[in-house]
């Protein structure tokens, strides 16, 4: 299985801050990397697909980049509704696998 | 609008089976993969498997391959996941999610399954 790691595992930030989360794959996955946001008690929500494409309806303050084994998700000007856990997911190879998540908390 | 409605919470005894359902609406059911995933309490996300209702192709994670059966009923736009030989490690929220190309664009609300004696 392809192992996905994320850093940091959690972070504290303030409204208006810029936040960057890193995701790494144990082997190259091209651009088959997706990002999801999960607020407590809710289902995950797709933010980014194919490494850098913004899902319809997702605010433009979310952006992402990367290819191969290293990827980043950036949130510009953090908003109150952005405090959540973020997961990366590889879709290069079955079984699809997720990173352990990055929890973004209010400072 | 796309909606996935999942069956209600269950409490199961160890060693038994569960069969969960996911009813889709708002799109052509046979045109998209349906994936199943789970999330143990306070934990991350785990992919279980997927089904293509159009071709009948199924893919199941080797972590579950001998315990999971994925089925579907196209006329009623419903997908099913059966998990056998339950243990306490199977206690989790189980999600169905629509597959669009290689990502999950719509998720169901989840079904909480608790395995306890």
């Amino acid at each position: 299985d392809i192992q996905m790691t994320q850093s940091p595992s959690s972070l504290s930030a303030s409204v208006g801050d810029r936040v960057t989360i890193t995701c790494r794959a144990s082997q190259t996955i091209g651009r088959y990397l997706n990002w999801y946001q999960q607020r407590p008690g809710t289902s995950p929500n797709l933010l980014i697909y194919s490494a850098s494409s913004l899902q319809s309806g997702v605010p433009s303050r979310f952006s992402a980049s990367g290819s191969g084994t290293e990827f980043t998700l950036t949130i510009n000007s953090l908003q109150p509704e952005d405090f959540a856990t973020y997961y990366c997911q590889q879709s290069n190879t079955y079984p699809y696998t997720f990173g352990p998540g990055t929890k973004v908390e209010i400072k | 609008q796309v909606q996935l409605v999942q069956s209600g919470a269950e409490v199961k005894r160890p060693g038994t089976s569960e069969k969960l359902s996911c009813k889709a609406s708002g799109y052509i059911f046979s045109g998209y993969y349906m994936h199943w995933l789970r999330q143990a309490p306070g934990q991350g996300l785990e992919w279980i498997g997927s089904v293509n209702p159009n071709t009948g192709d199924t893919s199941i994670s080797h972590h579950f391959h001998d315990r999971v059966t994925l089925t579907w009923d196209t006329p009623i736009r419903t997908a099913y996941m059966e998990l056998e030989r339950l243990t306490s490690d199977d206690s989790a929220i189980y999600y169905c999610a629509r597959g669009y190309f290689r990502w999950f664009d719509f998720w169901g609300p989840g079904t909480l399954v608790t395995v306890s004696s």
Side-chain angles (χ1 to χ4, degrees):
Chain A
D1 298 3
I2 297 175
Q3 306 303 314
M4 307 299 293
T5 59
Q6 289 182 233
S7 60
S9 57
S10 65
L11 64 91
S12 295
S14 301
V15 172
D17 284 353
R18 182 181 186 185
V19 165
T20 298
I21 299 168
T22 299
C23 173
R24 291 185 174 86
S26 61
Q27 61 191 75
T28 185
I29 57 171
R31 294 179 59 80
Y32 292 112
L33 191 285
N34 311 306
W35 290 96
Y36 300 85
Q37 175 195 65
Q38 187 177 33
R39 299 187 180 105
T42 69
S43 306
N45 181 51
L46 177 67
L47 296 176
I48 302 284
Y49 60 90
S50 297
S52 62
S53 296
L54 193 67
Q55 172 68 351
S56 175
V58 173
S60 59
R61 63 180 178 274
F62 291 91
S63 63
S65 64
S67 65
T69 61
E70 187 157 334
F71 303 84
T72 60
L73 172 71
T74 299
I75 312 171
N76 284 300
S77 188
L78 203 64
Q79 297 300 299
E81 60 268 29
D82 300 337
F83 292 95
T85 300
Y86 294 84
Y87 295 95
C88 61
Q89 174 243 332
Q90 67 82 17
S91 55
N92 181 72
T93 309
Y94 282 147
Y96 291 167
T97 48
F98 290 80
T102 295
K103 187 173 184 179
V104 177
E105 299 175 301
I106 302 173
K107 183 182 286 184
Chain B
Q1 70 283 18
V2 174
Q3 268 197 307
L4 301 174
V5 177
Q6 297 189 239
S7 45
E10 299 188 12
V11 179
K12 308 295 290 189
R13 300 296 188 201
T16 62
S17 302
E18 64 176 10
K19 187 172 184 177
L20 307 181
S21 66
C22 173
K23 185 173 178 63
S25 62
Y27 71 95
I28 298 173
F29 179 75
S30 58
Y32 298 81
Y33 280 76
M34 187 68 80
H35 294 262
W36 291 88
L37 307 97
R38 74 178 186 182
Q39 186 171 36
Q43 302 300 307
L45 295 157
E46 184 175 22
W47 181 81
I48 298 170
S50 66
V51 60
N52 181 334
N54 185 44
T55 65
D57 289 341
T58 59
S59 297
I60 297 173
S61 170
H62 60 87
H63 297 288
F64 300 94
H65 71 95
D66 61 343
R67 295 200 295 141
V68 163
T69 304
L70 302 182
T71 56
W72 66 97
D73 188 332
T74 299
I76 61 171
R77 302 187 306 276
T78 301
Y80 303 92
M81 186 206 71
E82 183 170 21
L83 181 61
E84 302 174 359
R85 303 190 299 279
L86 294 168
T87 73
S88 57
D89 289 342
D90 294 316
S91 294
I93 297 173
Y94 288 77
Y95 295 102
C96 59
R98 191 180 82 162
Y100 187 80
F101 289 101
R102 296 195 185 201
W103 50 88
F104 313 126
D105 64 345
F106 287 93
W107 294 64
T111 296
L112 176 64
V113 175
T114 304
V115 182
S116 174
S117 55

